[in-house]
Amino acid sequence: MTLMKSWVESANAVTTDFPLNNLPCGVFSTGDEQPRCGVAIGNFILDISALEAEGLLKLADEPLFDVPFWNELMEAGPEVWADLRAQVTAMLAAGASKRWIIEDHLVPLADATLHMPFLISEYTDFYAGRHHATNVGTMFRGAENALPPNWLHIPIGYNGRASSVVVSGTEVRRPWGQLKSPDMETPIFAPSQRFDIELEMGAIVGQPSELGYPVSVAEADAMIFGYVLLNDWSARDIQAWEYQPLGPFQAKATATSISPWIVMKAALEPFRAATPAREVPLLPHLQEPGPMLYNIALEVGLTPEGGTETVISRTNYAEMYYSAAQQLAHHTTSGCAMNVGDLLGSGTISGPTKESRGSLLELSWGGKEPFAIAGGTRSFIEDNDTLTLRGAALGDGYRIGFGTCTGKVIPALKDPWQRR
Ligand code: CA
């Protein structure tokens, strides 16, 4: 695939995240106006809600964009998703005949506030990156027992919280929790001292499955609407004390940040990549009929208050052992129904090298090996640090970018039960 040319000049730049090939879905507002649906193109947002209201975009008998979220479009199904892309591509392509009408509905990105792009039904987080699982397992249980016996057979996951999923730019407050290090007799209640990120991709379910019936991996792939960058903020000290026997709970419940643009699966098609070779064969219901991962370059930047950013990790989504389609298929094996707007976190995406680790826990090896940043070192996140995730599939002269997923960690409440 090569760059599709647009009359929006900034969409033709090699450096833009949002060429005509991308057309990611977001929700935005300007000034005091109500949030509405838009598609990013170069340095602009095309106001999809306004185009539909004026009859310039018609996808269904009933309006889909009179609400400030993309769930109704998702519910309408894959044919309508494709129709949206076809109609918007025709409007924005170089030489488009209605340019003079469409131009009125472009809003500069710089003037817009971005909001949550969809209503989240439920959120499930997985643990499907082999390098991450091996690193964490080695730290917690030793190299011999790094991967649990089930790990190579099922994508391990837990049901997370949809209520604390926030859009990029939202500040994240350092949580309090029960902590007990090995040298303590009894736990204490205190602000987390080992607050961390997890670099992940989020898959957004765009079509439901029926209660009582599992779906195949191919059906699961077809149900996915698109992908976002996802930061699963994690309090390692809370996690270490609480996680046995039922898995993470409060350690992961403070916040989960996502990037504001949903990159539709259709935009990622040219970048499909296979999962790595299987060490042991998967049972038939988890085998993939084709490549289900994507080649997406990822990086994490850390910026201290008033300082400059250091890129602390570079990795790729294709490092995952399990795809989102496999995770979604596994999620339904019990007969569990999946809904429009369900969000699946991939699990931390670490690569094989030290520089490609997707969490500070791994980068600092549990705090034992602090790593260098501009003007200092880090083991875990310090107050007022800003963490920024970036990602893009890299094409020939263009990139399918996700924008940024950023969050600043602000100090813990002085007294958690003292209302402001
Ligand atoms: Ca996670």
Side-chain angles (χ1 to χ4, degrees):
M1 274 287 262
T2 51
L3 172 74
M4 295 160 67
K5 283 277 174 80
S6 171
W7 53 261
V8 179
E9 271 309 316
S10 57
N12 301 326
V14 246
T15 50
T16 184
D17 270 354
F18 310 126
L20 185 55
N21 307 55
N22 192 347
L23 302 178
C25 311
V27 169
F28 73 101
S29 62
T30 48
D32 297 332
E33 290 182 16
Q34 290 298 308
R36 51 203 193 272
C37 294
V39 157
I41 179 77
N43 296 337
F44 295 88
I45 302 169
L46 182 64
D47 189 336
I48 295 292
S49 293
L51 288 170
E52 186 188 59
E54 293 188 16
L56 295 165
L57 174 74
K58 188 167 167 56
L59 295 169
D61 293 335
E62 297 294 317
L64 301 176
F65 300 109
D66 54 348
V67 287
F69 42 80
W70 283 79
N71 297 56
E72 294 193 359
L73 186 271
M74 291 195 251
E75 270 170 38
E79 284 178 22
V80 182
W81 307 347
D83 191 12
L84 169 82
R85 292 184 68 80
Q87 291 193 38
V88 173
T89 300
M91 289 176 197
L92 295 173
S97 59
K98 287 187 179 167
R99 171 177 172 169
W100 58 281
I101 305 175
I102 304 302
E103 244 167 359
D104 286 346
H105 298 292
L106 287 179
V107 176
L109 254 172
D111 296 348
T113 303
L114 300 174
H115 305 272
M116 279 295 295
F118 68 111
L119 294 180
I120 298 181
S121 175
E122 296 188 66
Y123 165 52
T124 309
D125 191 32
F126 287 87
Y127 186 59
R130 184 164 188 174
H131 303 294
H132 172 72
T134 304
N135 287 337
V136 174
T138 302
M139 274 182 259
F140 285 30
R141 290 181 296 273
E144 298 295 297
N145 305 306
L147 281 186
N150 53 8
W151 201 93
L152 293 168
H153 299 278
I154 47 173
I156 307 297
Y158 66 95
N159 289 304
R161 290 295 303 176
S163 64
S164 54
V165 178
V166 297
V167 74
S168 172
T170 308
E171 290 182 336
V172 174
R173 192 180 287 284
R174 181 181 298 276
W176 285 67
Q178 253 195 45
L179 320 174
K180 184 190 165 301
S181 57
D183 58 338
M184 290 177 183
E185 194 83 350
T186 53
I188 57 167
F189 188 70
S192 169
Q193 296 304 303
R194 292 159 76 91
F195 200 52
D196 197 359
I197 58 154
E198 291 194 335
L199 166 61
E200 304 192 22
M201 297 292 301
I204 295 162
V205 176
Q207 287 283 281
S209 72
E210 192 180 347
L211 182 67
Y213 297 93
V215 300
S216 69
V217 177
E219 288 167 334
D221 187 61
M223 285 164 61
I224 294 171
F225 176 69
Y227 291 82
V228 289
L229 302 173
L230 185 149
N231 181 355
D232 176 26
W233 301 95
S234 300
R236 302 300 179 191
D237 37 10
I238 298 173
Q239 187 177 355
W241 171 233
E242 75 176 3
Y243 89 105
Q244 287 175 321
L246 285 183
F249 187 53
Q250 291 303 288
K252 305 278 193 169
T254 297
T256 304
S257 299
I258 63 167
S259 53
W261 298 104
I262 307 171
V263 175
M264 290 172 74
K265 191 175 54 185
L268 293 169
E269 283 303 328
F271 305 96
R272 278 194 184 256
T275 43
R278 304 286 127 181
E279 185 172 316
V280 294
L282 292 171
L283 288 172
H285 71 281
L286 285 178
Q287 289 174 12
E288 297 162 297
M292 300 262 164
L293 285 177
Y294 299 94
N295 197 334
I296 299 170
L298 299 165
E299 66 175 40
V300 180
L302 188 157
T303 313
E305 179 87 324
T308 54
E309 184 184 88
T310 303
V311 173
I312 59 173
S313 178
R314 285 190 177 88
T315 183
N316 195 297
Y317 181 48
E319 295 285 354
M320 300 309 286
Y321 195 78
Y322 294 101
S323 65
Q326 285 175 312
Q327 294 170 333
L328 180 53
H330 174 60
H331 213 318
T332 66
T333 48
S334 60
C336 173
M338 300 303 291
N339 294 315
V340 173
D342 275 344
L343 175 66
L344 307 185
S346 60
T348 310
I349 307 166
S350 292
T353 62
K354 193 170 179 177
E355 300 71 34
S356 58
R357 295 172 181 166
S359 67
L360 275 66
L361 175 74
E362 293 164 88
L363 286 164
S364 71
W365 207 252
K368 293 195 182 108
E369 301 169 17
F371 57 90
I373 60 165
T377 60
R378 283 293 181 278
S379 290
F380 292 95
I381 300 171
E382 296 190 1
D383 283 346
N384 302 310
D385 282 351
T386 297
L387 278 299
T388 302
L389 277 45
R390 296 187 196 86
L394 304 175
D396 183 12
Y398 73 103
R399 48 191 279 136
I400 302 293
F402 286 76
T404 56
C405 176
T406 191
K408 178 178 172 178
V409 173
I410 56 173
L413 293 171
K414 287 212 163 49
D415 175 353
W417 287 278
Q418 183 71 52
R419 294 281 175 277
R420 269 180 296 174

